[in-house]
Amino acid sequence: MIQLTRLNGDRFTLNALWIEQVQSHPDTTITLSNGKKLVVKEAESDVLRLATAYYKQIGLTGR
C-alpha cells in the first residue's frame, strides 16, 4: 500500500497492485485496473518510486 495526497489535500492509501497507468497531464493522474482515475499531488516519478518500493516489499520484484 502507498500513501498519496489528493489535490484537495486529503491523504489516502492506495493498493499499488491496482495501478495500471500513471501520467502527468500536468497533474499526476493514476488509472486503476478497474478504469477509475485518481488525480494526486505527488509527481509521476514519486508515485513510481513508491509503487516500486511496495512491489519489492511484498516480494513481487527482486531486491
Short mmCIF file of all heavy atoms in Angstrom, two decimals:
data_model
loop_
_atom_site.label_atom_id
_atom_site.label_comp_id
_atom_site.label_asym_id
_atom_site.label_seq_id
_atom_site.Cartn_x
_atom_site.Cartn_y
_atom_site.Cartn_z
N MET A 1 0.85 -1.17 0.00
CA MET A 1 0.00 0.00 0.00
C MET A 1 0.90 1.24 0.00
O MET A 1 1.94 1.23 0.64
CB MET A 1 -0.89 -0.01 1.23
CG MET A 1 -1.70 -1.28 1.41
SD MET A 1 -3.02 -1.38 0.25
CE MET A 1 -4.38 -1.01 1.29
N ILE A 2 0.46 2.26 -0.71
CA ILE A 2 1.23 3.51 -0.76
C ILE A 2 0.33 4.66 -0.33
O ILE A 2 -0.87 4.65 -0.60
CB ILE A 2 1.84 3.76 -2.15
CG1 ILE A 2 0.78 3.86 -3.23
CG2 ILE A 2 2.84 2.66 -2.49
CD1 ILE A 2 1.30 4.23 -4.61
N GLN A 3 0.92 5.64 0.34
CA GLN A 3 0.16 6.81 0.77
C GLN A 3 0.34 7.94 -0.23
O GLN A 3 1.47 8.27 -0.62
CB GLN A 3 0.61 7.26 2.15
CG GLN A 3 0.15 6.33 3.24
CD GLN A 3 0.26 6.96 4.60
OE1 GLN A 3 0.82 8.04 4.77
NE2 GLN A 3 -0.29 6.29 5.59
N LEU A 4 -0.78 8.54 -0.61
CA LEU A 4 -0.80 9.63 -1.59
C LEU A 4 -1.69 10.75 -1.08
O LEU A 4 -2.41 10.59 -0.10
CB LEU A 4 -1.31 9.11 -2.94
CG LEU A 4 -0.48 7.98 -3.57
CD1 LEU A 4 -1.24 7.36 -4.73
CD2 LEU A 4 0.86 8.49 -4.02
N THR A 5 -1.65 11.89 -1.79
CA THR A 5 -2.46 13.04 -1.41
C THR A 5 -3.27 13.51 -2.61
O THR A 5 -2.73 13.74 -3.69
CB THR A 5 -1.54 14.20 -0.94
OG1 THR A 5 -0.65 13.73 0.05
CG2 THR A 5 -2.37 15.35 -0.38
N ARG A 6 -4.57 13.65 -2.41
CA ARG A 6 -5.44 14.20 -3.46
C ARG A 6 -5.16 15.70 -3.60
O ARG A 6 -4.56 16.30 -2.71
CB ARG A 6 -6.91 14.00 -3.10
CG ARG A 6 -7.31 12.55 -3.04
CD ARG A 6 -8.82 12.45 -2.76
NE ARG A 6 -9.19 11.11 -2.38
CZ ARG A 6 -9.47 10.13 -3.23
NH1 ARG A 6 -9.44 10.36 -4.52
NH2 ARG A 6 -9.79 8.94 -2.79
N LEU A 7 -5.60 16.30 -4.66
CA LEU A 7 -5.37 17.72 -4.89
C LEU A 7 -6.01 18.58 -3.81
O LEU A 7 -5.53 19.67 -3.52
CB LEU A 7 -5.89 18.14 -6.27
CG LEU A 7 -5.10 17.60 -7.47
CD1 LEU A 7 -5.71 18.11 -8.78
CD2 LEU A 7 -3.64 17.94 -7.39
N ASN A 8 -7.08 18.09 -3.17
CA ASN A 8 -7.74 18.87 -2.12
C ASN A 8 -7.04 18.73 -0.77
O ASN A 8 -7.48 19.29 0.22
CB ASN A 8 -9.22 18.46 -1.99
CG ASN A 8 -9.41 17.05 -1.51
OD1 ASN A 8 -8.46 16.35 -1.17
ND2 ASN A 8 -10.66 16.62 -1.47
N GLY A 9 -5.93 17.95 -0.72
CA GLY A 9 -5.16 17.80 0.50
C GLY A 9 -5.46 16.55 1.30
O GLY A 9 -4.76 16.25 2.26
N ASP A 10 -6.50 15.81 0.93
CA ASP A 10 -6.85 14.58 1.64
C ASP A 10 -5.80 13.49 1.37
O ASP A 10 -5.46 13.23 0.21
CB ASP A 10 -8.22 14.06 1.21
CG ASP A 10 -9.36 14.91 1.69
OD1 ASP A 10 -9.14 15.73 2.60
OD2 ASP A 10 -10.47 14.78 1.14
N ARG A 11 -5.31 12.87 2.45
CA ARG A 11 -4.36 11.76 2.32
C ARG A 11 -5.16 10.46 2.24
O ARG A 11 -6.20 10.32 2.86
CB ARG A 11 -3.43 11.69 3.52
CG ARG A 11 -2.59 12.91 3.75
CD ARG A 11 -1.21 12.95 3.17
NE ARG A 11 -0.40 11.80 3.51
CZ ARG A 11 0.55 11.35 2.70
NH1 ARG A 11 0.79 11.94 1.57
NH2 ARG A 11 1.27 10.31 3.03
N PHE A 12 -4.66 9.51 1.45
CA PHE A 12 -5.30 8.21 1.34
C PHE A 12 -4.25 7.15 1.04
O PHE A 12 -3.13 7.47 0.65
CB PHE A 12 -6.41 8.22 0.28
CG PHE A 12 -5.90 8.34 -1.14
CD1 PHE A 12 -5.78 7.22 -1.94
CD2 PHE A 12 -5.55 9.58 -1.66
CE1 PHE A 12 -5.31 7.33 -3.24
CE2 PHE A 12 -5.10 9.70 -2.96
CZ PHE A 12 -4.97 8.57 -3.76
N THR A 13 -4.62 5.91 1.25
CA THR A 13 -3.73 4.79 1.00
C THR A 13 -4.29 4.00 -0.18
O THR A 13 -5.48 3.68 -0.23
CB THR A 13 -3.64 3.88 2.24
OG1 THR A 13 -3.19 4.69 3.33
CG2 THR A 13 -2.66 2.75 2.02
N LEU A 14 -3.42 3.71 -1.13
CA LEU A 14 -3.81 3.01 -2.35
C LEU A 14 -3.08 1.68 -2.45
O LEU A 14 -1.87 1.62 -2.21
CB LEU A 14 -3.46 3.88 -3.57
CG LEU A 14 -3.67 3.25 -4.95
CD1 LEU A 14 -5.15 3.03 -5.23
CD2 LEU A 14 -3.06 4.13 -6.02
N ASN A 15 -3.80 0.64 -2.80
CA ASN A 15 -3.17 -0.64 -3.08
C ASN A 15 -2.49 -0.50 -4.45
O ASN A 15 -3.15 -0.43 -5.48
CB ASN A 15 -4.20 -1.76 -3.10
CG ASN A 15 -3.58 -3.12 -3.29
OD1 ASN A 15 -2.44 -3.25 -3.74
ND2 ASN A 15 -4.33 -4.15 -2.96
N ALA A 16 -1.16 -0.47 -4.44
CA ALA A 16 -0.40 -0.22 -5.67
C ALA A 16 -0.58 -1.32 -6.72
O ALA A 16 -0.28 -1.10 -7.89
CB ALA A 16 1.08 -0.04 -5.34
N LEU A 17 -1.07 -2.47 -6.31
CA LEU A 17 -1.30 -3.54 -7.28
C LEU A 17 -2.43 -3.19 -8.26
O LEU A 17 -2.54 -3.81 -9.32
CB LEU A 17 -1.64 -4.85 -6.54
CG LEU A 17 -0.51 -5.40 -5.67
CD1 LEU A 17 -1.00 -6.62 -4.90
CD2 LEU A 17 0.70 -5.75 -6.51
N TRP A 18 -3.25 -2.21 -7.92
CA TRP A 18 -4.36 -1.81 -8.78
C TRP A 18 -3.94 -0.80 -9.84
O TRP A 18 -4.71 -0.48 -10.75
CB TRP A 18 -5.48 -1.20 -7.94
CG TRP A 18 -6.25 -2.23 -7.18
CD1 TRP A 18 -5.91 -2.82 -6.02
CD2 TRP A 18 -7.49 -2.82 -7.57
NE1 TRP A 18 -6.86 -3.73 -5.64
CE2 TRP A 18 -7.85 -3.75 -6.59
CE3 TRP A 18 -8.33 -2.63 -8.67
CZ2 TRP A 18 -9.01 -4.50 -6.67
CZ3 TRP A 18 -9.50 -3.38 -8.73
CH2 TRP A 18 -9.82 -4.30 -7.75
N ILE A 19 -2.71 -0.28 -9.75
CA ILE A 19 -2.25 0.75 -10.70
C ILE A 19 -2.01 0.13 -12.06
O ILE A 19 -1.28 -0.85 -12.20
CB ILE A 19 -0.98 1.45 -10.20
CG1 ILE A 19 -1.26 2.20 -8.91
CG2 ILE A 19 -0.43 2.39 -11.27
CD1 ILE A 19 -0.02 2.81 -8.27
N GLU A 20 -2.64 0.71 -13.07
CA GLU A 20 -2.44 0.27 -14.45
C GLU A 20 -1.57 1.26 -15.21
O GLU A 20 -0.75 0.88 -16.03
CB GLU A 20 -3.78 0.11 -15.15
CG GLU A 20 -3.66 -0.41 -16.57
CD GLU A 20 -5.01 -0.70 -17.17
OE1 GLU A 20 -5.83 -1.36 -16.51
OE2 GLU A 20 -5.25 -0.24 -18.30
N GLN A 21 -1.76 2.56 -14.89
CA GLN A 21 -1.06 3.60 -15.65
C GLN A 21 -0.89 4.84 -14.79
O GLN A 21 -1.76 5.17 -14.00
CB GLN A 21 -1.90 3.92 -16.89
CG GLN A 21 -1.32 4.92 -17.83
CD GLN A 21 -2.19 5.02 -19.08
OE1 GLN A 21 -2.54 4.03 -19.69
NE2 GLN A 21 -2.55 6.23 -19.43
N VAL A 22 0.25 5.54 -14.96
CA VAL A 22 0.49 6.81 -14.28
C VAL A 22 0.93 7.81 -15.34
O VAL A 22 1.83 7.53 -16.13
CB VAL A 22 1.60 6.68 -13.20
CG1 VAL A 22 1.81 8.01 -12.49
CG2 VAL A 22 1.25 5.59 -12.19
N GLN A 23 0.26 8.97 -15.37
CA GLN A 23 0.55 10.00 -16.37
C GLN A 23 0.60 11.37 -15.71
O GLN A 23 0.01 11.57 -14.65
CB GLN A 23 -0.54 10.04 -17.44
CG GLN A 23 -0.67 8.78 -18.25
CD GLN A 23 -1.83 8.88 -19.22
OE1 GLN A 23 -2.96 9.08 -18.78
NE2 GLN A 23 -1.55 8.75 -20.50
N SER A 24 1.29 12.28 -16.36
CA SER A 24 1.29 13.69 -15.94
C SER A 24 0.59 14.50 -17.01
O SER A 24 0.98 14.46 -18.17
CB SER A 24 2.73 14.19 -15.77
OG SER A 24 3.37 13.48 -14.75
N HIS A 25 -0.45 15.26 -16.63
CA HIS A 25 -1.28 15.99 -17.62
C HIS A 25 -1.48 17.46 -17.33
O HIS A 25 -2.52 17.94 -17.77
CB HIS A 25 -2.69 15.44 -17.63
CG HIS A 25 -2.90 14.07 -18.04
ND1 HIS A 25 -3.72 13.72 -19.06
CD2 HIS A 25 -2.44 12.89 -17.57
CE1 HIS A 25 -3.78 12.43 -19.17
NE2 HIS A 25 -3.01 11.91 -18.27
N PRO A 26 -0.94 18.30 -16.67
CA PRO A 26 0.30 18.24 -15.90
C PRO A 26 0.11 17.62 -14.52
O PRO A 26 1.09 17.24 -13.90
CB PRO A 26 0.71 19.69 -15.76
CG PRO A 26 -0.57 20.44 -15.75
CD PRO A 26 -1.48 19.65 -16.67
N ASP A 27 -1.15 17.53 -14.02
CA ASP A 27 -1.33 16.87 -12.73
C ASP A 27 -1.12 15.37 -12.90
O ASP A 27 -1.44 14.80 -13.95
CB ASP A 27 -2.75 17.12 -12.19
CG ASP A 27 -2.99 18.58 -11.84
OD1 ASP A 27 -2.03 19.24 -11.39
OD2 ASP A 27 -4.13 19.05 -12.02
N THR A 28 -0.63 14.73 -11.87
CA THR A 28 -0.38 13.29 -11.93
C THR A 28 -1.72 12.56 -11.82
O THR A 28 -2.46 12.72 -10.87
CB THR A 28 0.55 12.85 -10.79
OG1 THR A 28 1.75 13.62 -10.87
CG2 THR A 28 0.88 11.37 -10.91
N THR A 29 -2.01 11.76 -12.86
CA THR A 29 -3.25 11.01 -12.93
C THR A 29 -2.92 9.52 -12.92
O THR A 29 -2.13 9.05 -13.74
CB THR A 29 -4.03 11.36 -14.20
OG1 THR A 29 -4.27 12.77 -14.23
CG2 THR A 29 -5.36 10.63 -14.25
N ILE A 30 -3.54 8.81 -11.98
CA ILE A 30 -3.34 7.37 -11.86
C ILE A 30 -4.59 6.68 -12.37
O ILE A 30 -5.70 6.98 -11.91
CB ILE A 30 -3.09 6.97 -10.40
CG1 ILE A 30 -1.86 7.69 -9.85
CG2 ILE A 30 -2.95 5.45 -10.27
CD1 ILE A 30 -1.68 7.54 -8.35
N THR A 31 -4.43 5.78 -13.33
CA THR A 31 -5.55 4.98 -13.81
C THR A 31 -5.43 3.60 -13.17
O THR A 31 -4.39 2.96 -13.25
CB THR A 31 -5.53 4.85 -15.34
OG1 THR A 31 -5.52 6.17 -15.92
CG2 THR A 31 -6.75 4.09 -15.85
N LEU A 32 -6.51 3.17 -12.53
CA LEU A 32 -6.53 1.87 -11.89
C LEU A 32 -7.02 0.80 -12.86
O LEU A 32 -7.62 1.11 -13.89
CB LEU A 32 -7.44 1.91 -10.65
CG LEU A 32 -7.11 2.99 -9.62
CD1 LEU A 32 -8.08 2.93 -8.46
CD2 LEU A 32 -5.67 2.86 -9.13
N SER A 33 -6.81 -0.45 -12.52
CA SER A 33 -7.18 -1.55 -13.41
C SER A 33 -8.69 -1.64 -13.63
O SER A 33 -9.14 -2.21 -14.62
CB SER A 33 -6.65 -2.88 -12.88
OG SER A 33 -7.13 -3.12 -11.58
N ASN A 34 -9.49 -1.02 -12.74
CA ASN A 34 -10.94 -1.01 -12.93
C ASN A 34 -11.42 0.20 -13.73
O ASN A 34 -12.62 0.41 -13.88
CB ASN A 34 -11.66 -1.07 -11.57
CG ASN A 34 -11.41 0.14 -10.70
OD1 ASN A 34 -10.74 1.09 -11.11
ND2 ASN A 34 -11.93 0.11 -9.49
N GLY A 35 -10.47 1.03 -14.21
CA GLY A 35 -10.80 2.19 -15.03
C GLY A 35 -10.94 3.49 -14.25
O GLY A 35 -11.00 4.56 -14.85
N LYS A 36 -11.00 3.41 -12.94
CA LYS A 36 -11.12 4.63 -12.12
C LYS A 36 -9.84 5.45 -12.23
O LYS A 36 -8.75 4.90 -12.28
CB LYS A 36 -11.39 4.25 -10.67
CG LYS A 36 -11.62 5.43 -9.76
CD LYS A 36 -12.00 5.00 -8.36
CE LYS A 36 -12.24 6.23 -7.51
NZ LYS A 36 -12.71 5.88 -6.16
N LYS A 37 -9.99 6.77 -12.25
CA LYS A 37 -8.85 7.67 -12.32
C LYS A 37 -8.74 8.49 -11.04
O LYS A 37 -9.75 8.97 -10.52
CB LYS A 37 -8.98 8.61 -13.52
CG LYS A 37 -8.89 7.88 -14.86
CD LYS A 37 -8.93 8.85 -16.01
CE LYS A 37 -8.93 8.13 -17.33
NZ LYS A 37 -7.64 7.64 -17.73
N LEU A 38 -7.51 8.64 -10.54
CA LEU A 38 -7.23 9.43 -9.36
C LEU A 38 -6.21 10.50 -9.72
O LEU A 38 -5.22 10.20 -10.40
CB LEU A 38 -6.65 8.54 -8.25
CG LEU A 38 -7.48 7.34 -7.82
CD1 LEU A 38 -6.65 6.43 -6.93
CD2 LEU A 38 -8.71 7.82 -7.08
N VAL A 39 -6.45 11.73 -9.28
CA VAL A 39 -5.50 12.82 -9.51
C VAL A 39 -4.85 13.12 -8.17
O VAL A 39 -5.54 13.35 -7.18
CB VAL A 39 -6.20 14.06 -10.09
CG1 VAL A 39 -5.20 15.17 -10.34
CG2 VAL A 39 -6.93 13.71 -11.38
N VAL A 40 -3.52 13.11 -8.14
CA VAL A 40 -2.78 13.28 -6.89
C VAL A 40 -1.75 14.39 -7.00
O VAL A 40 -1.38 14.80 -8.10
CB VAL A 40 -2.08 11.96 -6.48
CG1 VAL A 40 -3.10 10.86 -6.22
CG2 VAL A 40 -1.06 11.52 -7.51
N LYS A 41 -1.30 14.87 -5.83
CA LYS A 41 -0.30 15.94 -5.77
C LYS A 41 1.10 15.46 -6.09
O LYS A 41 1.93 16.23 -6.58
CB LYS A 41 -0.29 16.58 -4.37
CG LYS A 41 -1.44 17.50 -4.11
CD LYS A 41 -1.25 18.21 -2.77
CE LYS A 41 -2.33 19.24 -2.55
NZ LYS A 41 -2.13 19.96 -1.28
N GLU A 42 1.40 14.20 -5.79
CA GLU A 42 2.74 13.68 -5.98
C GLU A 42 3.12 13.66 -7.46
O GLU A 42 2.26 13.48 -8.33
CB GLU A 42 2.86 12.26 -5.41
CG GLU A 42 2.82 12.18 -3.90
CD GLU A 42 1.44 12.26 -3.30
OE1 GLU A 42 0.44 12.35 -4.05
OE2 GLU A 42 1.33 12.22 -2.06
N ALA A 43 4.39 13.84 -7.72
CA ALA A 43 4.90 13.78 -9.09
C ALA A 43 4.83 12.33 -9.59
O ALA A 43 4.84 11.38 -8.80
CB ALA A 43 6.34 14.27 -9.14
N GLU A 44 4.77 12.18 -10.90
CA GLU A 44 4.73 10.85 -11.50
C GLU A 44 5.91 10.00 -11.03
O GLU A 44 5.74 8.83 -10.67
CB GLU A 44 4.74 10.97 -13.03
CG GLU A 44 4.69 9.66 -13.76
CD GLU A 44 4.65 9.84 -15.27
OE1 GLU A 44 4.49 10.97 -15.75
OE2 GLU A 44 4.78 8.82 -15.96
N SER A 45 7.08 10.58 -10.98
CA SER A 45 8.27 9.84 -10.56
C SER A 45 8.16 9.37 -9.10
O SER A 45 8.63 8.28 -8.75
CB SER A 45 9.53 10.68 -10.74
OG SER A 45 9.44 11.87 -9.98
N ASP A 46 7.53 10.17 -8.24
CA ASP A 46 7.34 9.78 -6.84
C ASP A 46 6.37 8.62 -6.72
O ASP A 46 6.58 7.70 -5.93
CB ASP A 46 6.86 10.96 -6.00
CG ASP A 46 7.91 12.04 -5.85
OD1 ASP A 46 9.11 11.72 -5.97
OD2 ASP A 46 7.52 13.20 -5.61
N VAL A 47 5.30 8.64 -7.50
CA VAL A 47 4.33 7.54 -7.48
C VAL A 47 5.00 6.25 -7.94
O VAL A 47 4.84 5.19 -7.33
CB VAL A 47 3.10 7.86 -8.36
CG1 VAL A 47 2.17 6.64 -8.46
CG2 VAL A 47 2.34 9.06 -7.83
N LEU A 48 5.81 6.35 -8.99
CA LEU A 48 6.51 5.17 -9.49
C LEU A 48 7.50 4.64 -8.46
O LEU A 48 7.61 3.43 -8.25
CB LEU A 48 7.23 5.49 -10.80
CG LEU A 48 6.32 5.86 -11.97
CD1 LEU A 48 7.14 6.27 -13.19
CD2 LEU A 48 5.39 4.72 -12.31
N ARG A 49 8.20 5.54 -7.77
CA ARG A 49 9.15 5.14 -6.74
C ARG A 49 8.43 4.43 -5.59
O ARG A 49 8.87 3.38 -5.12
CB ARG A 49 9.92 6.36 -6.23
CG ARG A 49 10.94 6.04 -5.14
CD ARG A 49 11.63 7.30 -4.63
NE ARG A 49 10.71 8.38 -4.26
CZ ARG A 49 9.99 8.42 -3.14
NH1 ARG A 49 10.08 7.44 -2.27
NH2 ARG A 49 9.20 9.44 -2.88
N LEU A 50 7.32 5.01 -5.14
CA LEU A 50 6.55 4.40 -4.05
C LEU A 50 5.99 3.03 -4.44
O LEU A 50 6.05 2.08 -3.66
CB LEU A 50 5.40 5.33 -3.64
CG LEU A 50 5.79 6.62 -2.92
CD1 LEU A 50 4.59 7.57 -2.86
CD2 LEU A 50 6.31 6.32 -1.53
N ALA A 51 5.48 2.93 -5.65
CA ALA A 51 4.90 1.67 -6.12
C ALA A 51 5.99 0.60 -6.24
O ALA A 51 5.80 -0.54 -5.79
CB ALA A 51 4.19 1.86 -7.45
N THR A 52 7.13 0.97 -6.79
CA THR A 52 8.23 0.02 -6.94
C THR A 52 8.73 -0.46 -5.57
O THR A 52 8.99 -1.66 -5.38
CB THR A 52 9.38 0.65 -7.74
OG1 THR A 52 8.89 1.04 -9.02
CG2 THR A 52 10.54 -0.32 -7.92
N ALA A 53 8.84 0.45 -4.61
CA ALA A 53 9.27 0.07 -3.26
C ALA A 53 8.26 -0.89 -2.64
O ALA A 53 8.64 -1.86 -1.97
CB ALA A 53 9.42 1.32 -2.39
N TYR A 54 6.97 -0.65 -2.87
CA TYR A 54 5.94 -1.55 -2.34
C TYR A 54 6.05 -2.93 -2.98
O TYR A 54 5.97 -3.95 -2.30
CB TYR A 54 4.55 -0.95 -2.58
CG TYR A 54 3.43 -1.87 -2.18
CD1 TYR A 54 3.21 -2.19 -0.84
CD2 TYR A 54 2.60 -2.44 -3.13
CE1 TYR A 54 2.19 -3.06 -0.46
CE2 TYR A 54 1.58 -3.30 -2.78
CZ TYR A 54 1.37 -3.60 -1.44
OH TYR A 54 0.37 -4.46 -1.07
N TYR A 55 6.25 -2.97 -4.31
CA TYR A 55 6.39 -4.26 -5.00
C TYR A 55 7.57 -5.05 -4.44
O TYR A 55 7.49 -6.25 -4.24
CB TYR A 55 6.58 -4.06 -6.50
CG TYR A 55 5.43 -3.37 -7.19
CD1 TYR A 55 5.65 -2.61 -8.33
CD2 TYR A 55 4.12 -3.45 -6.72
CE1 TYR A 55 4.61 -1.97 -8.99
CE2 TYR A 55 3.07 -2.81 -7.37
CZ TYR A 55 3.33 -2.08 -8.50
OH TYR A 55 2.31 -1.44 -9.14
N LYS A 56 8.68 -4.36 -4.16
CA LYS A 56 9.85 -5.02 -3.57
C LYS A 56 9.54 -5.51 -2.16
O LYS A 56 9.94 -6.61 -1.78
CB LYS A 56 11.04 -4.06 -3.56
CG LYS A 56 11.64 -3.84 -4.91
CD LYS A 56 12.82 -2.89 -4.84
CE LYS A 56 13.37 -2.61 -6.22
NZ LYS A 56 14.48 -1.65 -6.18
N GLN A 57 8.82 -4.71 -1.40
CA GLN A 57 8.48 -5.05 -0.01
C GLN A 57 7.67 -6.34 0.06
O GLN A 57 7.86 -7.16 0.96
CB GLN A 57 7.71 -3.90 0.63
CG GLN A 57 7.27 -4.16 2.05
CD GLN A 57 6.39 -3.03 2.58
OE1 GLN A 57 6.15 -2.03 1.92
NE2 GLN A 57 5.93 -3.20 3.80
N ILE A 58 6.77 -6.53 -0.89
CA ILE A 58 5.92 -7.73 -0.86
C ILE A 58 6.51 -8.88 -1.67
O ILE A 58 5.88 -9.93 -1.81
CB ILE A 58 4.48 -7.42 -1.31
CG1 ILE A 58 4.44 -6.98 -2.76
CG2 ILE A 58 3.83 -6.40 -0.38
CD1 ILE A 58 3.03 -6.88 -3.34
N GLY A 59 7.71 -8.67 -2.22
CA GLY A 59 8.38 -9.74 -2.95
C GLY A 59 7.94 -9.92 -4.38
O GLY A 59 8.16 -10.99 -4.96
N LEU A 60 7.32 -8.93 -4.96
CA LEU A 60 6.85 -9.01 -6.34
C LEU A 60 7.98 -8.82 -7.34
O LEU A 60 7.93 -9.32 -8.44
CB LEU A 60 5.75 -7.97 -6.59
CG LEU A 60 4.80 -8.21 -7.73
CD1 LEU A 60 4.08 -9.54 -7.58
CD2 LEU A 60 3.80 -7.10 -7.84
N THR A 61 9.02 -8.08 -6.92
CA THR A 61 10.22 -7.88 -7.74
C THR A 61 11.45 -8.20 -6.90
O THR A 61 11.37 -8.26 -5.68
CB THR A 61 10.33 -6.43 -8.25
OG1 THR A 61 10.44 -5.56 -7.12
CG2 THR A 61 9.14 -6.03 -9.09
N GLY A 62 12.57 -8.39 -7.57
CA GLY A 62 13.80 -8.68 -6.86
C GLY A 62 14.30 -7.47 -6.08
O GLY A 62 13.91 -6.34 -6.32
N ARG A 63 15.14 -7.70 -5.13
CA ARG A 63 15.69 -6.64 -4.30
C ARG A 63 16.84 -6.03 -5.02
O ARG A 63 17.31 -5.03 -4.90
CB ARG A 63 16.12 -7.18 -2.95
CG ARG A 63 14.92 -7.65 -2.18
CD ARG A 63 15.27 -7.84 -0.71
NE ARG A 63 14.09 -8.27 -0.01
CZ ARG A 63 13.31 -7.45 0.66
NH1 ARG A 63 13.57 -6.20 0.76
NH2 ARG A 63 12.24 -7.92 1.27
#
